[in-house]
Amino acid sequence: MTSPIRVGIIGVGWGSVVQTPAFRAVPEYEVAALCSRRAESVAKAGEALGISDVSTNWEEFVRRDDLDVISICTPVGLHATQAIAAVEAGKHVLVEKPQALSAGDAKRMLDTAESAGVAHAVCFEGRYEHDRLPVRHLVENGFLGQTYLGNALTIGDYWHPTRPLQSEWMYKTAEGGGYLMGLSSHDIDFFTFLLGEPVAVCADVRSSVPIRERGDGSSIEVDADDTSVVVLRMGSDALVTITTSVVGLHHNRRELTLLGSDGTITVSGAIQGGAPTIRAGRAGDDGLHEVAPSDRMPRSGVELPKRRAAGAIRSLALMLEDWLPALEGKPAPGVPTLEDGWRVQRVVDAARRSSAGEGWVSMG
């Protein structure tokens, strides 16, 4: 391992906007090189970020002797191939979520990384959001007692017919699109991280607006989901429900509720923008009391960019700090790994099967 830890990022969309500033907030890392299939895109990103080492050949990129970590921010369908190639070249890997298009691909990624003995992580940095860190602390310290119910609700208007089109790949399930992968996956990860393994899944996953019009009058056939309700039976006997919709006109809402024998925790706020409200109360209290959001910031003190993605940058930087021990072969508790990504993808696959007519799907 070199010092600093040299990082090569494949993909310069999210890789430029979030990953590069997050890595730069942790001084042990150095974003040394960028790679993208489009020469114009990677050159433009390199110029904007002050990185002159750019490439369009990811196969050669992952084999470079001067890179320690390969971070993969490419379209979802490329994740498995690129991550496995990087691992086989002896690199530690960080993979954007969704980890893969299927649980089978996610498991191959995990098995290859485990066999190679490299560190691996997946970007479920939602665990580190300023409203979820206090929830983690409370649950890990037994605040709830026996957990009865976990509920997450996310409603936005991103795909309402009155809104402009997003990137077209997002409307195609085969390309990793839809919000079961895009938003619900964060809640699936958070609940399974806190409450353990799900044993069965039941879901309804829908595309409410099957045709979207382009500006030129042509249309897109949509098969990716804009709305889903996922129910998990947990091995601990807790019940979890995760409701997500992005066709909610004039909506920008995110809620989390955890009910247990000894306590209750609630979080409410906007998907983006505004400070969330966290409340918690235990048996014997006179009700729910406000809990302060986490004030944890990257220990480097680096000022983070003040833009829409600032929250994601902060959360990922904290995750990357906690990942450092794994790069030396030590435990990094709480950091989501490719195993966690595989677990989430198993739930996603089961939810789709359930919605297609299988009813309750066993996770055994």
Side-chain angles (χ1 to χ4, degrees):
M1 182 74 65
T2 58
S3 181
I5 300 161
R6 290 174 56 85
V7 180
I9 297 178
I10 311 178
V12 293
W14 195 252
S16 297
V17 174
V18 172
Q19 288 221 356
T20 297
F23 274 112
R24 285 176 166 175
V26 185
E28 286 86 352
Y29 298 102
E30 175 193 356
V31 180
L34 302 174
C35 182
S36 175
R37 61 184 174 180
R38 296 178 180 172
E40 182 179 350
S41 297
V42 74
K44 183 178 179 180
E47 182 178 0
L49 296 168
I51 299 171
S52 59
D53 189 341
V54 298
S55 171
T56 58
N57 187 324
W58 72 260
E59 291 96 337
E60 293 180 359
F61 191 79
V62 301
R63 294 195 296 269
R64 284 176 46 167
D65 292 337
D66 61 340
L67 297 177
D68 305 303
V69 172
I70 298 295
S71 183
I72 297 169
C73 309
T74 52
V76 183
L78 296 173
H79 286 185
T81 300
Q82 292 176 338
I84 289 171
V87 166
E88 289 176 342
K91 310 302 182 185
H92 306 297
V93 291
L94 176 69
V95 182
E96 264 301 334
K97 71 89 203 161
Q99 182 169 314
L101 290 175
S102 69
D105 282 347
K107 186 62 162 61
R108 288 195 300 113
M109 296 162 74
L110 170 62
D111 288 346
T112 305
E114 288 288 285
S115 295
V118 301
H120 50 87
V122 62
C123 292
F124 284 118
E125 72 277 355
R127 296 184 184 187
Y128 288 84
E129 292 174 356
H130 56 205
D131 58 333
R132 296 208 167 183
L133 281 173
V135 175
R136 283 176 58 176
H137 177 76
L138 289 169
V139 173
E140 289 167 353
N141 284 278
F143 185 90
L144 293 174
Q146 178 187 350
T147 303
Y148 298 144
L149 175 70
N151 179 68
L153 172 70
T154 305
I155 303 179
D157 65 353
Y158 308 133
W159 281 13
H160 192 271
T162 59
R163 290 290 300 269
L165 287 174
Q166 294 187 311
S167 298
E168 292 196 9
W169 70 267
M170 296 180 68
Y171 299 93
K172 301 295 182 182
T173 300
E175 296 181 30
Y179 278 86
L180 180 60
M181 297 269 264
L183 280 177
S184 305
S185 59
H186 280 290
D187 291 324
I188 295 168
D189 173 72
F190 194 60
F191 280 127
T192 53
F193 171 56
L194 292 180
L195 305 180
E197 295 286 341
V199 296
V201 177
C202 189
D204 197 341
V205 183
R206 299 189 176 194
S207 303
S208 306
V209 185
I211 301 290
R212 289 297 308 265
E213 301 297 325
R214 298 186 181 95
D216 63 3
S218 61
S219 61
I220 303 171
E221 292 187 10
V222 179
D223 67 1
D225 63 282
D226 55 51
T227 300
S228 62
V229 179
V230 180
V231 184
L232 307 180
R233 289 175 178 162
M234 309 302 285
S236 62
D237 289 333
L239 183 68
V240 167
T241 64
I242 299 169
T243 302
T244 303
S245 182
V246 290
V247 291
L249 185 62
H250 306 311
H251 254 73
N252 177 24
R253 191 72 180 162
R254 191 177 185 216
E255 298 177 1
L256 182 79
T257 302
L258 285 157
L259 308 179
S261 59
D262 296 343
T264 291
I265 304 169
T266 68
V267 183
S268 60
I271 301 174
Q272 293 178 328
T277 299
I278 309 167
R279 293 187 174 92
R282 302 199 75 180
D285 292 346
D286 59 358
L288 299 178
H289 301 273
E290 285 203 21
V291 176
S294 171
D295 60 359
R296 181 181 169 189
M297 296 292 289
R299 52 180 166 70
S300 65
V302 169
E303 185 175 354
L304 300 178
K306 291 179 173 62
R307 58 174 184 253
R308 188 175 181 181
I313 294 168
R314 170 187 168 274
S315 297
L316 182 56
L318 298 180
M319 188 185 112
L320 292 172
E321 282 186 357
D322 287 359
W323 194 40
L324 287 168
L327 302 177
E328 298 180 349
K330 301 174 184 176
V335 176
T337 67
L338 294 182
E339 183 172 8
D340 297 297
W342 169 57
R343 181 182 295 110
V344 169
Q345 195 60 49
R346 290 184 68 218
V347 172
V348 168
D349 288 3
R352 288 174 173 159
R353 288 168 52 198
S354 172
S355 185
E358 292 191 29
W360 280 100
V361 176
S362 172
M363 299 298 289

